[in-house]
Amino acid sequence: MNQTRGRYDFCIGLVLAMSSSIFIGGSFILKKKGLLRLARKGSMRAGQGGHAYLKEWLWWAGLLSMGAGEVANFAAYAFAPATLVTPLGALSVLVSAILSSFFLNEKLNLHGKIGCLLSILGSTVMVIHAPQEEEVETLNEMFHKLGDPGFLVFATLVVIVSLILIFVVGPRHGQTNILVYITICSVIGALSVSCVKGLGIAIKELFAGKTVLKHPLSWILLLSLIVCVSTQINYLNRALDIFNTSIVTPIYYVIFTTSVLTCSAILFKEWQHMAADDIIGTFSGFLTIIVGIFLLHAFKDVNFTLANLPLSLRKDDRAANGTLLSTYDCFNHDEESSACLAEMQSTESLAARRNGSLSAF
């Protein structure tokens, strides 16, 4: 009976986690569509500090979709293990990338697709090998955790870095560097997750009949959560308004996941009892994430797909054999010019056919 119940809970958690990814991935598309509609109307864009998106129903639909996804994700942890739920959050990246290609006409090149895959794999490996958090069941225990010197130093650094990015770096480089606004969302997101954790404990104690409303930590956590979430929404909107959605989504996921894992490790002292294989797995996952981010960011403007790959390989092979002729060579050998030009036209025709047949990739 217990085994049947465990399998039933596992299936519920799996469905909730996958539903969460669909809702969250779709929320990016709805928000982007709303921001694009406002741009066509001539309203001040979110990337320039405007807040006209608050009057756009598509943006609110995206916000509600994200809220539904977060609720489903929170509920999934009650039924399925964290090693299943957390990696499945990466599916929102794939959902967003696929939907953006259909509804926003945004495309990822081959480097971006490989980088997206590496980012998801690295995050999954990092989460699987991450240590389990210590159990915190009361607000008093959470209060002592939040008062730990290590966490206070971490929270102070997060606030200082965020303020520097908001008031110094953002006005100068926010419009051109994709990492500025996304970093603000991600590092503040680590604090918001800690607030959610504490409020979840408060809600459980409230249902248990304890007087948590008189505990000052409950109100501190609630106010902190409102400030953090408001800041996240503001700068995530700016990033989505300025940059490609299929680039913003995976980078935000990777940096946010890394920030949350770091904050959780400091807050709950999880790294003290890690095995050697978990340490190796965690660092391997982190390095994989770095490579994925590099591919996504460094080659985002390179127009390269699988359609170009066979032609590139064939040209490299011909060049190595000394048979590849340039246009200059053709026009400097009169007796061979006709044959050379015919060969070049044949090559271009073949490339066009290949691009036509594989352009959907």
Side-chain angles (χ1 to χ4, degrees), residues 21-152:
S21 297
I22 294 173
F23 279 118
I24 293 176
S27 71
F28 286 98
I29 308 303
L30 291 172
K31 286 184 177 182
K32 182 71 174 184
K33 291 283 287 185
L35 294 172
L36 289 175
R37 286 183 57 174
L38 289 174
R40 287 194 295 268
K41 293 177 182 178
S43 302
M44 180 178 289
R45 304 183 64 169
Q48 299 171 343
H51 297 87
Y53 57 83
L54 295 175
K55 300 179 181 179
E56 176 58 50
W57 70 269
L58 272 176
W59 184 88
W60 282 105
L63 183 64
L64 292 175
S65 178
M66 178 170 286
E70 294 296 343
V71 170
N73 187 65
F74 181 80
Y77 282 100
F79 295 95
T83 52
L84 169 72
V85 177
T86 307
L88 283 180
L91 292 177
S92 63
V93 178
L94 296 179
V95 171
S96 179
I98 293 173
L99 292 180
S100 65
S101 65
F102 283 100
F103 297 103
L104 300 178
N105 296 322
E106 297 179 357
K107 295 186 181 298
L108 275 174
N109 60 14
L110 184 60
H111 298 91
K113 293 174 182 177
I114 295 175
C116 185
L117 178 62
L118 288 176
S119 298
I120 295 173
L121 291 176
S123 300
T124 303
V125 171
M126 194 172 178
V127 169
I128 290 175
H129 288 279
Q132 297 296 320
E133 66 181 16
E134 297 178 2
E135 292 294 331
V136 179
E137 298 180 353
T138 66
L139 276 179
N140 288 329
E141 294 179 2
M142 190 67 182
F143 179 78
H144 290 298
K145 290 288 184 183
L146 294 174
D148 182 80
F151 178 76
L152 291 177

Side-chain angles (χ1 to χ4, degrees), residues 142-195:
M142 190 67 182
F143 179 78
H144 290 298
K145 290 288 184 183
L146 294 174
D148 182 80
F151 178 76
L152 291 177
V153 171
F154 173 79
T156 302
L157 288 176
V158 167
V159 172
I160 292 175
V161 169
S162 300
L163 291 175
I164 292 174
L165 290 175
I166 291 172
F167 295 107
V168 179
V169 181
R172 298 179 181 177
H173 306 288
Q175 300 285 330
T176 56
N177 193 322
I178 192 173
L179 295 177
V180 175
Y181 292 150
I182 294 180
T183 302
I184 295 173
C185 300
S186 301
V187 296
I188 292 180
L191 297 181
S192 67
V193 170
S194 300
C195 294

Side-chain angles (χ1 to χ4, degrees), residues 40-355:
R40 287 194 295 268
K41 293 177 182 178
S43 302
M44 180 178 289
R45 304 183 64 169
Q48 299 171 343
H51 297 87
Y53 57 83
L54 295 175
K55 300 179 181 179
E56 176 58 50
W57 70 269
L58 272 176
W59 184 88
W60 282 105
L63 183 64
L64 292 175
S65 178
M66 178 170 286
E70 294 296 343
V71 170
N73 187 65
F74 181 80
Y77 282 100
F79 295 95
T83 52
L84 169 72
V85 177
T86 307
L88 283 180
L91 292 177
S92 63
V93 178
L94 296 179
V95 171
S96 179
I98 293 173
L99 292 180
S100 65
S101 65
F102 283 100
F103 297 103
L104 300 178
N105 296 322
E106 297 179 357
K107 295 186 181 298
L108 275 174
N109 60 14
L110 184 60
H111 298 91
K113 293 174 182 177
I114 295 175
C116 185
L117 178 62
L118 288 176
S119 298
I120 295 173
L121 291 176
S123 300
T124 303
V125 171
M126 194 172 178
V127 169
I128 290 175
H129 288 279
Q132 297 296 320
E133 66 181 16
E134 297 178 2
E135 292 294 331
V136 179
E137 298 180 353
T138 66
L139 276 179
N140 288 329
E141 294 179 2
M142 190 67 182
F143 179 78
H144 290 298
K145 290 288 184 183
L146 294 174
D148 182 80
F151 178 76
L152 291 177
V153 171
F154 173 79
T156 302
L157 288 176
V158 167
V159 172
I160 292 175
V161 169
S162 300
L163 291 175
I164 292 174
L165 290 175
I166 291 172
F167 295 107
V168 179
V169 181
R172 298 179 181 177
H173 306 288
Q175 300 285 330
T176 56
N177 193 322
I178 192 173
L179 295 177
V180 175
Y181 292 150
I182 294 180
T183 302
I184 295 173
C185 300
S186 301
V187 296
I188 292 180
L191 297 181
S192 67
V193 170
S194 300
C195 294
V196 170
K197 174 74 174 179
L199 288 174
I201 295 172
I203 293 174
K204 288 168 61 177
E205 288 193 313
L206 182 63
F207 286 137
K210 298 182 180 180
T211 57
V212 297
L213 296 179
K214 296 182 179 180
H215 201 300
L217 182 61
S218 301
W219 299 104
I220 293 174
L221 291 173
L222 180 60
L223 293 175
S224 300
L225 180 62
I226 292 173
V227 172
C228 291
V229 171
S230 301
T231 305
Q232 283 182 263
I233 292 174
N234 182 27
Y235 286 96
L236 182 59
N237 282 328
R238 295 192 183 194
L240 287 171
D241 188 43
I242 298 171
F243 303 103
N244 193 307
T245 305
S246 55
I247 299 294
V248 171
T249 307
I251 294 179
Y252 173 69
Y253 168 78
V254 169
I255 301 179
F256 173 75
T257 302
T258 304
S259 301
V260 170
L261 289 175
T262 303
C263 179
S264 180
I266 295 174
L267 184 60
F268 298 106
K269 301 288 191 303
E270 299 163 340
W271 298 82
Q272 295 179 355
H273 306 290
M274 283 189 69
D277 56 341
D278 287 331
I279 295 176
I280 296 173
T282 301
F283 280 103
S284 299
F286 184 68
L287 291 175
T288 305
I289 292 171
I290 292 176
V291 174
I293 292 177
F294 176 77
L295 288 175
L296 280 169
H297 191 54
F299 300 102
K300 59 182 173 58
D301 296 324
V302 177
N303 186 17
F304 186 76
T305 64
L306 280 181
N308 310 120
L309 189 58
L311 183 61
S312 299
L313 292 176
R314 189 165 59 83
K315 284 185 176 180
D316 290 341
D317 183 63
R318 293 176 61 192
N321 293 329
T323 59
L324 187 61
L325 295 176
S326 64
T327 307
Y328 178 83
D329 292 332
C330 289
F331 286 102
N332 279 278
H333 295 83
D334 295 336
E335 65 276 6
E336 299 176 3
S337 60
S338 298
C340 181
L341 290 173
E343 182 181 0
M344 291 180 61
Q345 291 173 357
S346 176
T347 300
E348 292 174 357
S349 176
L350 179 60
R353 291 197 299 271
R354 283 177 173 166
N355 288 333

